[in-house]
Amino acid sequence: MSDILKNIAKAEVLTLASLVEYSEGQVVSKTLVQNKGVGLTLFAFAKGEGISTHESKGDALVTVLDGEGEFTIDGVPYLLRSGESIVMPANHPHAVYGKENFKMLLSVIFPEN
């Protein structure tokens, strides 16, 4: 089997939210893929924790897997709950904050050039 995906079982049914655990006062991450074209990372945010405003060279699709998180894009806040997604466009400032404990899958697609 391919070794492109790391830190994840292959050929078995998975519940992504169970693959990363909460840790009080921390943002925990597990990288599944990181290369020139794509990044896939699972995150678990403890309540009150976040990632400060930054930009990415790729479009970032976030899917909330558990709980509730606040995503700020270009200064506009969006509250997402389990099962909801949002795209944080490339080269736009964005931040993430745990309004409560929450988990997400971050999929970043980078430009070819």
Side-chain angles (χ1 to χ4, degrees), residues 22 43-49 62-71 78-84 96-104:
Y22 295 114
F43 285 91
F45 288 76
K47 180 179 180 178
E49 296 300 317
V62 170
T63 300
V64 175
L65 304 172
D66 182 51
E68 183 176 286
E70 183 177 273
F71 298 81
Y78 301 87
L79 188 62
L80 276 74
R81 293 175 179 86
S82 183
E84 297 180 326
V96 182
Y97 177 73
K99 297 281 278 188
E100 61 178 54
N101 282 350
F102 89 100
K103 296 179 182 181
M104 69 180 203

Side-chain angles (χ1 to χ4, degrees), residues 40-92:
L40 290 177
T41 308
L42 291 168
F43 285 91
F45 288 76
K47 180 179 180 178
E49 296 300 317
I51 298 174
S52 61
T53 302
H54 63 285
E55 294 182 16
S56 172
K57 295 190 184 309
D59 286 336
L61 171 65
V62 170
T63 300
V64 175
L65 304 172
D66 182 51
E68 183 176 286
E70 183 177 273
F71 298 81
T72 303
I73 304 169
D74 290 325
V76 178
Y78 301 87
L79 188 62
L80 276 74
R81 293 175 179 86
S82 183
E84 297 180 326
S85 298
I86 195 165
V87 173
M88 299 182 293
N91 304 310
H92 287 253

Side-chain angles (χ1 to χ4, degrees), residues 6-72:
K6 307 285 186 189
N7 302 315
I8 191 168
K10 296 169 180 85
E12 70 180 64
V13 177
L14 303 168
T15 303
L16 292 177
S18 70
L19 300 180
V20 63
E21 297 300 323
Y22 295 114
S23 184
E24 188 174 336
Q26 294 185 19
V27 176
V28 177
S29 66
K30 179 183 277 194
T31 300
L32 305 179
V33 175
Q34 187 64 57
N35 60 41
K36 290 189 298 187
V38 66
L40 290 177
T41 308
L42 291 168
F43 285 91
F45 288 76
K47 180 179 180 178
E49 296 300 317
I51 298 174
S52 61
T53 302
H54 63 285
E55 294 182 16
S56 172
K57 295 190 184 309
D59 286 336
L61 171 65
V62 170
T63 300
V64 175
L65 304 172
D66 182 51
E68 183 176 286
E70 183 177 273
F71 298 81
T72 303

